[in-house]
Amino acid sequence: MSALSGSVPAATGTVRFSWPKAVWLWSHLSATFVLLPGALDARLCAVAIVFTYFTLCLGHSVGLHRGLIHRSYRTSLTVQRCLLSLFVFTGLGGPLSWIRLHFVRDYWQRQPECPAYFAYRHGILRDFYWNLHGRFEPRSWRRYAIEDAILRDPFLRFLERTWWLWNLALYAALFALAGFETALVCGVARVSGGIVGHWFIGYWTHKHGTRRFVVPNASENGSNSLVLGWISFGEGFHNNHHALPDSARMGIEPWEFDLGWLTIRGMEKLGLVHGVKSWGRGTAQLRGLPAGS
C-alpha cells in the first residue's frame, strides 16, 4: 500500500489504497482464472461480445465518455440515461467516480508537469497497481471545473451508489435463466476482461504507438494503436483524442476503424442524437496542433 505514497504531490491530494476496488477486481479475476476454462464455448463467447458492445461501446465510449464527459453530441435525457444505465453493466465502477477521475487526469495531462499517478513514466506493473487499486482524493475539486449539475444529478448519484448491485443482479439473472456457464462467461469474465482491458489500452496508448499531433505544453499526448483502436471501439486512437477531445470521431483516417463513431452516426440517422461534432486532421491544424512523429 505504501507504493501509492508519493504518486501525487501532497499539495495536490493523496492516493489511497481502495479495498472495494481491490476486492471487486480480484474476486472477478480469481473466478475467471479458475472457472472460465471449463465454461468457454463459441456460442457463449459470441453472446459475451454482444454484451461487450452494448456495455463498453454504447455505455462507456458513446454514452459516458464521448457523450456526457466531452459533450461531442446532444441527446435527450431519456437516451442519455439509457446509455449511462448500460455503462454500469461494464462493472468498471460508478459513473461519477469515472467522471471525476477523467476530469482530473485530463487536467494534469494537459499541464507541462504531470504528477506520476496521472502520467506514464513508470512500468506496467506499477501502473496496474496504481490504477486498479488506488483512489485519488484531491485537496479540492474546484480546480477541475466539473459541472455542478453533473455532480448533483440524482440519477447519476443513484447509479454511483448502486452500480455493483446492478452487476450482481445481472449475474443472478443470467444464472437463473441460462445457467452457470452463461453467468460466468457473459457476466463475471466479461467484466474482468473489461476492467483489465480498459486499463491496459489506456496504459499502452500512452506509452507506445504513433503520434500524429502534439498538444502544446501538455505533458501527455497519447498515442494511436491501430489494433487496439479497432478492438476498443475507437478509444485506442488516443493521440487523436488528446488533440481533439470534443470530437465524436476518434479514428480520423479511413483505416482507423472506430465502431463508437459508426454507432453515433447510426444514432444520428435514427434521430436519437444531434449536433454531432466530428473533427479531423484539418481542424487540428487550425487549432495550432503541430504534427507529431
Side-chain angles (χ1 to χ4, degrees):
M1 299 180 193
S2 60
L4 292 166
S5 62
S7 56
V8 297
T12 299
T14 57
V15 179
R16 302 186 189 280
F17 186 87
S18 172
W19 280 108
K21 284 179 70 173
V23 169
W24 183 259
L25 170 69
W26 286 104
S27 61
H28 280 71
L29 289 181
S30 299
T32 299
F33 288 147
V34 173
L35 302 173
L36 186 63
L40 276 178
D41 66 42
R43 180 187 63 85
L44 287 181
C45 288
V47 175
I49 289 171
V50 173
F51 269 89
T52 300
Y53 169 77
F54 279 98
T55 58
L56 277 173
C57 183
L58 264 176
H60 175 261
S61 184
V62 172
L64 184 71
H65 191 197
R66 306 186 210 205
L68 185 58
I69 292 175
H70 289 292
R71 307 289 191 180
S72 65
Y73 60 83
R74 297 193 300 275
T75 190
S76 67
L77 185 61
T78 299
V79 171
Q80 182 188 76
R81 288 183 171 179
C82 287
L83 294 174
L84 294 175
S85 297
L86 289 173
F87 165 77
V88 300
F89 289 112
T90 63
L92 294 174
L96 287 177
S97 297
W98 276 91
I99 291 167
R100 290 189 185 101
L101 180 61
H102 196 287
F103 272 79
V104 172
R105 193 178 296 275
D106 269 14
Y107 174 86
W108 285 113
Q109 290 182 351
R110 288 183 173 273
Q111 305 301 316
E113 296 293 331
C114 180
Y117 185 71
F118 303 115
Y120 291 88
R121 300 184 293 269
H122 46 264
I124 190 169
L125 293 180
R126 174 170 291 187
D127 197 76
F128 175 82
Y129 179 69
W130 279 3
N131 276 283
L132 296 184
H133 301 79
R135 183 183 72 253
F136 174 67
E137 298 176 356
R139 293 286 184 184
S140 170
W141 288 106
R142 192 170 304 166
R143 76 165 76 191
Y144 303 112
I146 307 173
E147 293 178 37
D148 193 55
I150 290 178
L151 297 177
R152 293 180 178 274
D153 184 279
F155 184 70
L156 287 173
R157 291 163 71 93
F158 168 71
L159 294 182
E160 182 71 18
R161 293 193 303 271
T162 61
W163 67 269
W164 57 281
L165 288 172
W166 290 49
N167 286 276
L168 295 182
L170 176 63
Y171 303 163
L174 290 173
F175 176 77
L177 294 173
F180 172 77
E181 291 82 4
T182 302
L184 177 66
V185 176
C186 300
V188 176
R190 172 185 56 81
V191 167
S192 299
I195 295 172
V196 175
H198 186 281
W199 158 75
F200 177 77
I201 288 168
Y203 175 82
W204 190 267
T205 56
H206 281 91
K207 296 278 285 188
H208 307 283
T210 60
R211 291 179 179 171
R212 181 174 290 126
F213 306 111
V214 176
V215 181
N217 301 315
S219 55
E220 294 285 340
N221 284 275
S223 300
N224 295 326
S225 169
L226 198 61
V227 173
L228 294 183
W230 288 347
I231 67 174
S232 65
F233 317 111
E235 296 283 336
F237 303 121
H238 213 60
N239 178 245
N240 296 346
H241 179 58
H242 272 249
L244 302 163
D246 57 342
S247 175
R249 183 178 181 180
M250 295 184 180
I252 65 177
E253 299 290 358
W255 57 85
E256 294 175 340
F257 178 69
D258 181 352
L259 186 55
W261 163 243
L262 295 179
T263 298
I264 292 171
R265 287 293 305 276
M267 294 173 68
E268 184 180 31
K269 291 180 179 178
L270 292 172
L272 297 175
V273 303
H274 57 280
V276 177
K277 302 173 186 176
S278 173
W279 315 130
R281 184 191 293 269
T283 304
Q285 292 170 345
L286 287 174
R287 293 183 181 182
L289 298 173
S293 56

